[in-house]
Amino acid sequence: MSEVTNTTHGPFYFILTGIPGFEDIHLWISIPFFCLYTISIMGNTTILTVIRTEPSLHEPMYLFLSMLALTDLGLTLTTLPTVMQVLWFNIREISFEACFAQVFFLHGFSFMESSVLLAMSFDRYVAICRPLHYASILTSEVIARIGLAIICRCVLAVLPSLFLLKRLPFCHSHLLSHSYCLHQDMIHLVCADIRVNRWYGFALVLLIIVLDPLLIVLSYALILKSVLNTATWTERLRALNNCLSHMLAVLVLYVPMVGVSMTHRFAKHASPLVHVLMANIYLLAPPVMNPIIYSVKTKQIRQGITRLLLQRKVH
């Protein structure tokens, strides 16, 4: 297959891979994928609509939640076209330019997810440890600046790796191991010195994938210290319950992320199916689970969804 790829498509196309070993039943496999993508799109769109239409939800916590929903929506829409075209129509070719664009958005939104969760942990810290100064610290202007900083951070993190990759020759097989383009997948197809790329990738891992969770853990350590100093168990439980949705969202992102890293590091010779499944869980779990978590655990969001459904029913 790799030889056909090189001779037929030249350097301007990559070949995507579906679910290895299950090509004959891709149409059936597409059903759960389609359902998960639908849940993600509908769930995140509903969260955004509720926050936009409910004036009582125009508060810092929910504005950060709307950023998370937008990020999840972007992540979903980035991988949906190529995944479904492979599963439904067996269209596996993707142009060089389209592949690079997908890498930019996919990794950009992945980093954005981590950055938004970090911002949300700061929001929870201020709400619980500095409640009297909450409104004066997290003003609309400050939240807008945080949102802009997150976008700039992610764009500036991803672009250099793309420029470094684009200058390299792809003279090996153009067969990718997923149904979407990943930087770590494409770099294996390069036949040149990639030490600079590897060092930059390592720096990104330290600055985002390692630093963000550490700062989130630090914020929760400070929250826990503050909560344990409160007078009653009722106040402690109320404070921790306010953080529960965010803690679950953090776990939904970082547990699959650690799983993917461990698989790449310690299970290099495992079946390709294992790597594909782990990568899909990592990319689909946050966009699918976050709307469910916040809809179930956050009373104000739940009430807003109920009112939205009742309004639709009346009209």
Side-chain angles (χ1 to χ4, degrees), residues 228-242:
L228 291 175
N229 290 330
T230 56
T232 65
W233 273 103
T234 305
E235 290 175 348
R236 292 174 185 176
L237 290 173
R238 188 185 302 120
L240 291 174
N241 190 55
N242 287 336

Side-chain angles (χ1 to χ4, degrees), residues 142-199:
V142 169
I143 293 168
R145 287 180 179 177
I146 290 173
L148 184 61
I150 288 171
I151 293 171
C152 291
R153 180 198 195 204
C154 297
V155 170
L156 293 175
V158 176
L159 278 181
S161 62
L162 285 183
F163 288 133
L164 286 170
L165 185 62
K166 195 173 175 64
R167 68 186 176 86
L168 298 172
F170 291 88
C171 54
H172 292 316
S173 161
H174 293 172
L175 183 64
L176 299 172
S177 57
H178 299 284
S179 47
Y180 39 80
C181 299
L182 288 172
H183 180 273
Q184 55 265 43
D185 205 5
M186 295 170 69
I187 201 75
H188 291 305
L189 306 181
V190 170
C191 54
D193 187 358
I194 56 171
R195 279 178 295 181
V196 175
N197 302 66
R198 289 193 183 279
W199 278 111

Side-chain angles (χ1 to χ4, degrees), residues 237-258:
L237 290 173
R238 188 185 302 120
L240 291 174
N241 190 55
N242 287 336
C243 298
L244 186 58
S245 297
H246 179 257
M247 286 190 283
L248 291 173
V250 169
L251 290 174
V252 164
L253 175 66
Y254 289 112
V255 169
M257 184 185 290
V258 170

Side-chain angles (χ1 to χ4, degrees), residues 77-99:
L77 295 175
T78 297
T79 58
L80 185 150
T82 54
V83 170
M84 298 316 297
Q85 79 176 25
V86 169
L87 295 178
W88 275 345
F89 310 111
N90 198 34
I91 299 173
R92 300 173 59 194
E93 295 90 352
I94 182 169
S95 69
F96 187 83
E97 293 78 11
C99 200

Side-chain angles (χ1 to χ4, degrees), residues 33 79 106 177-180 182 184 256 259-260 263-264 272-286:
F33 273 90
T79 58
L106 198 156
S177 57
H178 299 284
S179 47
Y180 39 80
L182 288 172
Q184 55 265 43
V260 169
T263 305
H264 277 285
L273 179 63
V274 173
H275 293 281
V276 169
L277 288 177
M278 288 299 297
N280 281 316
I281 290 170
Y282 164 59
L283 288 176
L284 281 171

Side-chain angles (χ1 to χ4, degrees), residues 43-96:
N44 287 295
T45 304
T46 302
I47 294 284
L48 287 168
T49 305
V50 167
I51 293 172
R52 185 178 63 84
T53 56
E54 289 285 334
S56 62
L57 298 182
H58 295 173
E59 296 177 1
M61 175 184 170
Y62 302 106
L63 294 176
F64 284 123
L65 178 56
S66 66
M67 290 184 199
L68 186 66
L70 275 172
T71 303
D72 285 334
L73 204 55
L75 196 57
T76 298
L77 295 175
T78 297
T79 58
L80 185 150
T82 54
V83 170
M84 298 316 297
Q85 79 176 25
V86 169
L87 295 178
W88 275 345
F89 310 111
N90 198 34
I91 299 173
R92 300 173 59 194
E93 295 90 352
I94 182 169
S95 69
F96 187 83

